[in-house]
Amino acid sequence: MPRFNVKKASGYLVNGWQFNAIVTLDSALPFTVLSGTDRSLSGIGNDYADVVGNPARPPGVSSIQEYFNTAAFTPAATGTFGTAGRNDLRGPNYFDIDLSIFKDFNFTERWCLQFCSEAFNVENRTNLQNPTATCRRALLAVSQRLTIRAFSSLR
């Protein structure tokens, strides 16, 4: 912080402040919609889902309610590995600002008092993790810790 040319007593209070900021910006991480069971009969159980429609979220639908079009995916056909691509969808991005301010008050060489104030997530933004995207019989979990959305197109 800048130093102000003021008298000794007021300069003791006005000068010597430290300001810190941490800004974190992360782009959206990719994720894959999985079948959730061993549909390929390979014994591994990490098969992709089948894409049967447009995976883009329908217009007017909240991203918390449905992060992507859940009706666009079904479990892979038995004996196949699925038609969905690896990491073909992107999750939410991450943005965070943390701030702090410090001031040391030195009374003697031995005694010092430090004022410290910190603020985390200053913009008060919710940063969500990637949705859990696994097809199982009649469920597709769309958003981790928020909702599990059932759809009836699977039988």
Side-chain angles (χ1 to χ4, degrees):
M1 303 267 300
R3 292 194 59 80
F4 298 99
N5 190 12
V6 292
K7 294 185 180 185
K8 184 170 179 152
S10 57
Y12 187 72
L13 293 174
V14 174
N15 292 322
W17 291 90
Q18 298 176 28
F19 177 76
N20 302 306
I22 299 173
V23 177
T24 306
L25 301 167
D26 286 334
S27 62
L29 295 174
F31 67 95
T32 304
V33 179
L34 302 174
S35 281
T37 57
D38 184 18
R39 306 293 286 183
S40 63
L41 308 175
S42 64
I44 297 173
N46 197 24
D47 302 329
Y48 298 161
D50 278 343
V51 180
V52 294
N54 183 1
R57 181 176 54 246
V61 176
S62 167
S63 62
I64 293 176
Q65 179 186 4
E66 188 171 297
Y67 195 76
F68 57 92
N69 184 6
T70 58
F73 297 94
T74 61
T78 304
T80 67
F81 289 99
T83 59
R86 179 179 182 269
N87 292 335
D88 56 353
L89 297 174
R90 290 247 170 213
N93 59 6
Y94 183 91
F95 176 67
D96 185 40
I97 299 174
D98 300 331
L99 301 175
S100 64
I101 189 165
F102 296 91
K103 166 74 171 141
D104 287 333
F105 296 95
N106 296 316
F107 299 109
T108 65
E109 285 187 27
R110 184 174 174 194
W111 294 99
C112 175
L113 175 69
Q114 184 179 65
F115 169 79
C116 171
S117 180
E118 296 176 321
F120 302 98
N121 193 16
V122 173
E123 70 286 349
N124 195 23
R125 182 178 189 271
T126 302
N127 289 301
L128 302 174
Q129 297 177 351
N130 272 355
T132 302
T134 304
C135 293
R136 296 185 192 242
R137 294 197 170 231
L139 291 178
L140 182 65
V142 261
S143 190
Q144 193 172 31
R145 295 191 199 118
L146 289 177
T147 183
I148 296 178
R149 180 151 177 94
F151 59 98
S152 59
S153 62
L154 301 177
R155 302 210 192 234

